[in-house]
């Protein structure tokens, strides 16, 4: 290809994730990331790259990708292939300068209008760690190995990477007391998660069979489900997370299409007992995507990597989550986001939350410059990164970053 890319770029020709951006003019447009550039899909449509120029120009000038995603995989995959072919031309085409935008000059936007957000709890290591802090003798509840536990979250407060996160206030029971005070959370945490985007509406009353789940999954986004542990601890009984979670979640601005991740499918952990029939999945059900978390103590500290994990550790797969979510007839909508739950690995260095990394605040983390942390402080920046890599092919997810404000 004529565009020279640095080795190991997150956005290779094999990746080509979709996003929405503007270049200071507040005119959102769809784009595809390649190396340090974005292929401006509005300009590409205008130049006739996809045919039906007026139709596609209108689609790509939307503030979100929902309408585009709704065209279905035959169309979205064709658009991606056309861009791939264009990039693979032996010499720079005449329209190259017009179609490419430097990523440095682009402001990335929230690429979806999210109708519904669901959060699962699919990492057995995370569920066991958190469970053992509260119930040392019985960390995993009896239902955990039978179904992907989840709850319905809040879609309105999901923001794109770079958006500051304001420390939430709420009801907190001080240590040693029995009644709550109203105060700012002192146990602000992150959760390292991977989310998938629904690409196709399903019909109310009709479950999605597990072997057809991939038809409904458009792509993946790296996800941080910010959590206020002290608020969560008091409120979560008996109905689960509420204000301890819904003050904000941050996603990567890029959606990596499911098709780009095919080479990275791997077998997941063996499931015992065997799940019920509607959750039984053959073949490779997980993805080998390396995950990294880093913390920059604010406002001028230096970055320390605090965790390295992998989506392959997840016990329940995306297909199982979706099959379970819809088995009662619940329908899904284009743009719905479903997150995995915190992805912890088997070793302490691979835990996906500060709650686990500091073991409930008992073991402070040592950061560069002699700084310690148990939970997040004002001015801290938390950054997630993810990439699948194999045989010289790298599929990156971009950064998910957020700074805590008072
Ligand atoms: Ca979560």
């Amino acid at each position: 290809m004529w565009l020279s890319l640095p080795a190991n770029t997150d956005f290779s020709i094999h990746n080509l994730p979709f996003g929405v951006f503007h270049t200071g003019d507040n005119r959102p447009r769809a784009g595809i990331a390649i190396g340090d550039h974005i292929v401006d899909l509005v300009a590409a449509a205008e130049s006739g790259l996809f045919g039906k120029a007026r139709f596609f120009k209108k689609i790509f000038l939307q503030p979100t990708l929902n309408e585009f995603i709704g065209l279905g995989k035959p169309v979205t995959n064709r658009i991606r292939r056309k861009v791939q072919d264009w990039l693979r031309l032996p010499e720079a085409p005449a329209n190259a300068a017009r179609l490419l935008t430097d990523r440095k000059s682009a402001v990335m936007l929230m690429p979806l209008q999210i109708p519904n957000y669901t959060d699962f709890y699919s990492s057995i290591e995370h569920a066991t760690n958190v469970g053992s802090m509260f119930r040392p003798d019985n960390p995993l509840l009896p239902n955990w190995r039978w179904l992907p536990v989840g709850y319905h979250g809040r879609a309105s407060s999901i923001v794109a990477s770079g958006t500051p996160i304001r420390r939430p206030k709420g009801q907190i029971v001080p240590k040693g007391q029995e009644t709550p005070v109203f105060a700012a959370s002192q146990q602000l945490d992150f959760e390292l998660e991977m989310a998938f985007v629904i690409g196709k509406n399903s019909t109310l009353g009709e479950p999605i069979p597990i072997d057809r789940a991939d038809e409904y999954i458009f792509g993946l986004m790296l996800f941080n489900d910010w959590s206020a542990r002290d608020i969560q601890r008091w409120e979560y009984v008996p109905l689960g997370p509420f204000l301890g979670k819904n003050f904000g979640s941050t996603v990567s601005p890029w959606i990596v299409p499911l098709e780009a991740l095919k080479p990275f499918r791997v077998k997941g952990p063996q499931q015992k007992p065997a799940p019920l029939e509607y959750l039984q999945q053959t073949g490779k059900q997980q993805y080998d995507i390396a995950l990294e978390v880093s913390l920059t103590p604010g406002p001028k500290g230096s970055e320390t990597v605090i965790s390295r994990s992998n989506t392959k550790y997840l016990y329940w797969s995306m297909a199982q989550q979706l099959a379970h979510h819809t088995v009662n007839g619940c329908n899904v909508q284009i743009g719905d986001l479903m997150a995995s739950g915190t992805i912890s690995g088997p070793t302490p260095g691979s835990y996906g939350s500060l709650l686990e990394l500091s073991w409930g605040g008992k073991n402070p983390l040592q950061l560069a410059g002699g700084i310690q942390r148990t939970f997040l402080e004002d001015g801290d920046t938390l950054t997630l990164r993810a990439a699948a890599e194999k045989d010289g092919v790298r599929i990156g997810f971009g950064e998910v970053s957020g700074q805590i404000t008072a």
Side-chain angles (χ1 to χ4, degrees):
M1 62 189 276
W2 48 272
L3 192 68
S4 66
L5 292 184
N8 262 358
T9 179
D10 263 7
F11 303 129
S12 68
I13 194 159
H14 308 282
N15 188 351
L16 301 187
F18 291 97
V20 174
F21 71 103
H22 72 73
T23 51
D25 55 359
N26 264 320
R27 262 184 107 210
R29 47 186 56 215
I32 281 181
I34 179 76
D36 292 331
H37 294 86
I38 297 171
V39 178
D40 180 334
L41 291 175
V42 174
E46 277 172 339
S47 77
L49 197 62
F50 314 124
K52 295 202 254 176
R54 275 180 53 191
F55 172 79
F56 279 112
K57 187 183 166 188
K58 189 171 157 274
I59 292 281
F60 291 132
L61 264 178
Q62 306 294 321
T64 65
L65 295 171
N66 292 53
E67 205 172 312
F68 170 63
I69 291 170
L71 296 175
K73 287 204 187 201
V75 178
T76 57
N77 285 339
R78 186 176 73 84
I79 296 292
R80 213 169 136 262
R81 274 198 307 275
K82 289 276 180 194
V83 170
Q84 227 159 23
D85 293 346
W86 180 77
L87 287 164
R88 279 191 172 126
L89 291 172
E91 289 186 32
N95 56 2
R98 197 151 48 84
L99 267 58
L100 290 180
T101 298
D102 193 331
R103 279 209 286 132
K104 282 195 208 86
S105 64
V107 177
M108 297 310 300
L109 304 169
M110 180 70 203
L112 290 171
Q113 197 274 316
I114 302 171
N116 302 283
Y117 156 53
T118 302
D119 196 20
F120 286 93
Y121 193 53
S122 291
S123 155
I124 195 163
E125 286 85 1
H126 173 68
T128 306
N129 286 340
V130 173
S132 64
M133 283 179 219
F134 300 104
R135 300 176 302 274
D137 304 332
N138 180 28
L140 273 191
L141 290 169
N143 61 4
W144 201 91
R145 286 174 182 269
W146 289 99
L147 53 85
V149 170
Y151 71 96
H152 286 126
R154 184 80 193 163
S156 65
S157 53
I158 300 177
V159 295
S161 179
T163 309
I165 296 295
R166 198 187 287 192
R167 178 179 300 275
K169 289 180 182 170
Q171 289 199 20
I172 294 162
V173 179
K175 215 176 173 182
Q177 296 187 28
E178 284 177 5
T179 53
V181 296
F182 181 74
S185 169
Q186 294 306 306
Q187 296 188 339
L188 189 50
D189 200 352
F190 73 93
E191 289 191 335
L192 168 63
E193 306 197 16
M194 187 64 81
F196 62 90
V197 179
I198 293 295
K200 183 176 169 179
N201 292 328
S202 73
T203 307
L204 182 61
E206 290 180 17
I208 297 173
I210 193 158
D211 54 2
R212 290 186 55 199
D214 283 5
E215 284 174 38
Y216 290 82
I217 300 175
F218 174 74
L220 272 61
M221 302 172 92
L222 192 55
F223 191 87
N224 180 354
D225 182 25
W226 304 98
S227 300
R229 301 300 179 193
D230 37 12
I231 297 174
Q232 185 184 351
R233 190 173 298 117
W234 169 240
E235 73 175 1
Y236 86 103
V237 180
L239 287 186
F242 190 32
L243 305 187
K245 299 276 188 179
N246 69 5
F247 60 93
S249 303
T250 307
V251 279
S252 54
W254 297 107
I255 308 174
V256 175
L258 193 66
E259 284 63 32
L261 293 162
K262 277 217 173 95
F264 303 97
R265 286 187 90 125
V266 290
K267 267 203 167 320
Q270 210 194 345
Q271 298 184 319
K272 279 185 190 169
L276 298 180
E277 199 180 343
Y278 76 94
L279 288 171
Q280 282 174 14
Q281 191 180 10
T282 51
K284 298 172 174 174
Q285 65 273 45
Q286 285 301 354
Y287 290 85
D288 182 0
I289 304 168
L291 308 167
E292 189 184 277
V293 185
S294 71
L295 177 52
T296 309
K300 285 184 186 152
S302 44
E303 190 172 37
T304 305
V305 174
I306 57 170
S307 176
R308 288 194 172 87
S309 187
N310 195 302
T311 52
K312 72 183 176 190
Y313 299 134
L314 286 168
Y315 187 90
W316 296 106
S317 70
M318 295 186 289
Q320 287 175 319
Q321 290 163 6
L322 188 53
H324 183 65
H325 199 307
T326 61
V327 75
N328 65 345
C330 173
N331 57 324
V332 296
Q333 293 176 299
I334 292 162
D336 280 357
L337 208 62
M338 311 218 169
S340 58
T342 307
I343 308 169
S344 292
T347 57
S350 62
Y351 295 164
S353 67
L354 287 171
L355 180 69
E356 294 161 272
L357 288 165
S358 73
W359 208 256
K362 284 192 199 114
N363 310 321
L365 268 74
Q366 307 297 327
L367 306 180
I371 294 171
Q372 292 193 340
R373 280 291 183 278
T374 47
F375 291 97
L376 296 169
E377 297 188 6
D378 294 344
D380 287 358
T381 300
L382 198 288
T383 304
L384 312 181
R385 296 185 182 89
E389 202 161 4
K390 189 177 156 190
D391 304 330
V393 172
R394 185 177 165 95
I395 306 286
F397 285 75
E399 276 187 8
V400 174
S401 193
Q403 187 173 33
I404 307 300
T405 61

